[in-house]
Amino acid sequence: GYLAADDIRFEIDENGNVTSKAWDDNQYAIVMEDEQTKISFFKADANSETGETVQGEAVLQIVTASENEEGKLQANTGEGAVVDEWYTTRNAHTVTGLTYETWYALVEKTAPEGYLVADTIFFQISRKGEISTFDADKNAVDAVRDGDTVVMEDVPIELRISKSYVRNGVTVNEASGVKLEVQDANGRLAYTIYGEAMETSDNTRTWTGVRPGEYYLVETEAPTGYTIADPIHFRLEEDGTVVIIGENGEESAAENN
């Protein structure tokens, strides 16, 4: 749990007198001081250009890690594997006393609502305190900030919504004049989309930071000459995938999952 101290140079003359910057007259000795390893961990929003923290709490763990039979890194499980666990805040969390040249893993056990669980970051501390971070395949990843802080980024869950119409048997991507609502399972309004906001190259609108759960996509206004479409019942999973739920409860994957 301590870093290797710098070498100490000293000289002894013919009379036995010691000369060294580390000489302590009170102890009448050369004093070598070891510092504990110290590393901070911070949770950031991957979409933030300024590296701001995520909104809400995540549960992070530091666990010991090792190589499996395939040579890949894995977080250890079982008794004694967890070194530290904490709820994230807007401030960095600092851990001291980790052993240098030993594999550890930064694991996100629970992501804040509206975010995907981040990939595990594996890391080592050198004898001099430098931090190196890797993925499970031992590829270096850029996760160290200011030399002593490991930053784990959470990606907000995104829901892409598209609207099209059938005109003379042909599907037309047109959204002008439409109004859509995303309602939760209890019918409460969660998100509103106006057609003008969907007039993009792919005629979609992206809702960022969505909480997993069941929703209904409801068309409340249709363009002139079109009838209002039936609501779409769907479930947003924690991994960001969308499952369409039919009238009889049958489930199917949404397009472009």
Side-chain angles (χ1 to χ4, degrees):
Y2 287 83
L3 300 173
D6 293 332
D7 295 341
I8 295 176
R9 181 175 178 177
F10 63 92
E11 296 179 355
I12 304 176
D13 63 20
E14 62 273 12
N15 298 317
N17 298 314
V18 178
T19 303
S20 174
K21 293 181 179 180
W23 179 261
D24 188 322
D25 287 331
N26 293 326
Q27 301 185 53
Y28 203 72
I30 294 174
V31 178
M32 175 178 279
E33 296 182 343
D34 285 346
E35 293 184 5
Q36 273 194 308
T37 59
K38 181 180 179 181
I39 181 171
S40 296
F41 301 91
F42 184 75
K43 197 69 171 137
D45 188 320
N47 285 4
S48 171
E49 295 181 358
T50 58
E52 294 180 1
T53 185
V54 297
Q55 299 298 316
E57 292 182 339
V59 178
L60 299 185
Q61 288 183 339
I62 300 297
V63 301
T64 58
S66 58
E67 295 183 24
N68 60 22
E69 295 179 353
E70 299 176 350
K72 295 186 177 183
L73 296 172
Q74 62 182 13
N76 294 335
T77 59
E79 186 176 353
V82 177
V83 177
D84 195 11
E85 178 177 296
W86 68 97
Y87 289 91
T88 60
T89 65
R90 298 186 65 85
N91 301 316
H93 177 79
T94 301
V95 179
T96 59
L98 297 180
T99 305
Y100 63 77
E101 296 181 353
T102 298
W103 283 114
Y104 292 97
L106 174 62
V107 180
E108 183 168 40
K109 299 297 293 183
T110 305
E113 287 189 337
Y115 289 88
L116 299 172
V117 173
D119 292 335
T120 296
I121 297 174
F122 297 90
F123 66 93
Q124 280 190 333
I125 307 171
S126 74
R127 291 171 59 89
K128 294 299 183 180
E130 292 99 358
I131 304 166
S132 300
T133 51
F134 305 85
D135 63 16
D137 294 318
K138 292 185 180 178
N139 298 313
V141 296
D142 184 16
V144 180
R145 180 190 299 173
D146 300 328
D148 63 355
T149 302
V150 175
V151 178
M152 175 177 273
E153 295 184 338
D154 273 357
V155 176
I157 296 175
E158 294 185 343
L159 178 64
R160 292 169 57 83
I161 299 171
S162 177
K163 177 63 182 177
S164 60
Y165 297 91
V166 177
R167 180 185 300 161
N168 298 325
V170 179
T171 300
V172 179
N173 286 326
E174 184 177 303
S176 180
V178 71
K179 180 182 177 183
L180 303 176
E181 292 183 354
V182 180
Q183 301 174 0
D184 66 17
N186 297 314
R188 292 174 297 201
L189 179 64
Y191 191 65
T192 301
I193 307 167
Y194 293 93
E196 290 72 16
M198 297 179 68
E199 292 177 346
T200 59
S201 59
D202 57 357
N203 211 56
T204 63
R205 180 71 171 176
T206 300
W207 179 16
T208 302
V210 192
R211 295 180 179 181
E214 289 195 17
Y215 295 93
Y216 290 88
L217 178 61
V218 181
E219 184 174 37
T220 58
E221 295 179 15
T224 302
Y226 291 92
T227 58
I228 290 179
D230 293 333
I232 298 174
H233 185 194
F234 66 94
R235 183 176 65 252
L236 181 65
E237 305 285 13
E238 290 186 357
D239 62 359
T241 58
V242 176
V243 176
I244 304 298
I245 304 173
E247 292 183 1
N248 299 319
E250 66 276 12
E251 298 184 353
S252 60
E255 294 182 8
N256 301 321
N257 251 343

